[in-house]
Amino acid sequence: MGDLAVGARSGHEGPEERPERPGDSVPPAAEDDVTAGGDNGDDSGGDGGRDERDGDGAAPQPKKPRSFWKELPLLIGIALVLALLIKTFLVQAFSIPSDSMQNTLQQGDRVLVDKLTPWFGSEPERGEVVVFHDPAKWLAGEPTPNPNAIQKGLSWIGLMPSAEEKDLIKRVIGVGGDTVECKGTGPLKVNGKALNETSYVYPGNTPCTVDDLGGQFKVKVPEGKIWVMGDHRQNSLDSRYHQQDKHKGFVPVDNVVGRAIVVAWPPTRWSTLPVPDTFDQNLSAAAPGVLGLAGAAPLVLWRRRRSTVGNTRVSGPGTAG
């Protein structure tokens, strides 16, 4: 009854009515007032609770997070696609199978090869260490690894070095237009300029090899080709020893996969592969036209001088009449 009274007072602004005795009946108008008052009194409680419940029912329930195991295949798929794109367009890992690039690279090293810059027209430059496809069966007779299915899959997406591709890794010595020469034990010359190779040639090796199999040579590199040699000069079957193949020892630029930029594995061997300082000197071959112009200049000057002297004599006072 107390609640009803409070509800009635809050529902009417007129004078309060006399409280009814227990036996008295409530007039119909009063019943309506009581009902109205009860409703108003419940505004702070009952209706609020109902509104809150209605609000709960209308609001969207938060979705239950997916199970990790359900998302795992999607994550693996995304990772594989990214790895494939990276291998195709950015970098690829290669393993070093031999000692021909010691001490720059050791057998078992893993190098990362830049495959991005060739897409923008970049070509190999002197001094770079490059990976290239076998141009003319240089690897004939070499043992071929037999990877399992998992290794093949990981190699295909670039997470492991490829075991089936016939690739080699050497240092670029000459590019198109260069003349590369080795006489005696060295030094190795590019366009007549000697290279100082002590920083990368294997200790105890000479820059040039004295033999009749190809160690002594003088070649001019055709356009679109490169001349490559291993840093372990006395233990590398490189351009020198394939001068009888269809490319005459040169490697087509189109066969180049990319430049090796870093030794990534093992961690104790981590290092970059910069171009040695000796290649910073001006090794460019002078164009024939430039040489011809340089040779012709003194002759032209001499002829002009004679012509000037002769004209002076003809126009002098002694010959005027």
Side-chain angles (χ1 to χ4, degrees), residues 48-233:
R50 184 166 59 253
D51 291 342
E52 185 177 354
R53 288 192 300 271
D54 292 341
D56 290 342
Q61 294 291 335
K63 292 183 179 181
K64 184 179 180 181
R66 283 187 178 184
S67 169
F68 169 76
W69 298 108
K70 290 182 179 179
E71 291 188 348
L72 184 60
L74 176 62
L75 295 175
I76 293 176
I78 293 174
L80 292 179
V81 171
L82 290 176
L84 182 59
L85 291 174
I86 290 173
K87 171 201 170 182
T88 304
F89 299 105
L90 298 179
V91 295
Q92 183 177 358
F94 287 86
S95 61
I96 307 303
S98 70
D99 297 331
S100 67
M101 282 296 293
Q102 285 180 322
N103 275 334
T104 303
L105 300 172
Q106 300 290 347
Q107 187 171 350
D109 284 352
R110 302 288 194 273
V111 297
L112 297 182
V113 173
D114 169 24
K115 301 179 71 175
L116 177 63
T117 52
W119 286 92
F120 296 95
S122 174
E123 293 190 355
E125 297 182 0
R126 304 179 196 92
E128 293 180 347
V129 177
V130 297
V131 171
F132 55 94
H133 299 311
D134 189 343
K137 298 183 179 180
W138 288 17
L139 295 175
E142 294 290 333
T144 302
N146 187 24
N148 56 38
I150 296 177
Q151 290 173 329
K152 289 181 179 179
L154 294 176
S155 297
W156 182 73
I157 61 176
L159 295 180
M160 283 187 63
S162 175
E164 294 183 338
E165 294 180 359
K166 300 293 185 179
D167 298 319
L168 301 98
I169 185 166
K170 305 290 181 185
R171 189 179 299 277
V172 179
I173 301 299
V175 297
D178 287 345
T179 298
V180 185
E181 180 181 4
C182 252
K183 287 185 179 180
T185 58
L188 176 64
K189 294 182 179 180
V190 178
N191 297 323
K193 298 178 181 178
L195 299 180
N196 181 2
E197 302 187 284
T198 55
S199 65
Y200 57 88
V201 167
Y202 186 77
N205 278 194
T206 55
C208 299
T209 304
V210 179
D211 59 35
D212 55 0
L213 301 176
Q216 303 290 291
F217 63 88
K218 183 176 182 179
V219 297
K220 183 172 183 179
V221 185
E223 294 297 331
K225 305 286 182 66
I226 57 175
W227 180 269
V228 297
M229 297 172 68
D231 290 352
H232 197 165
R233 292 292 161 80

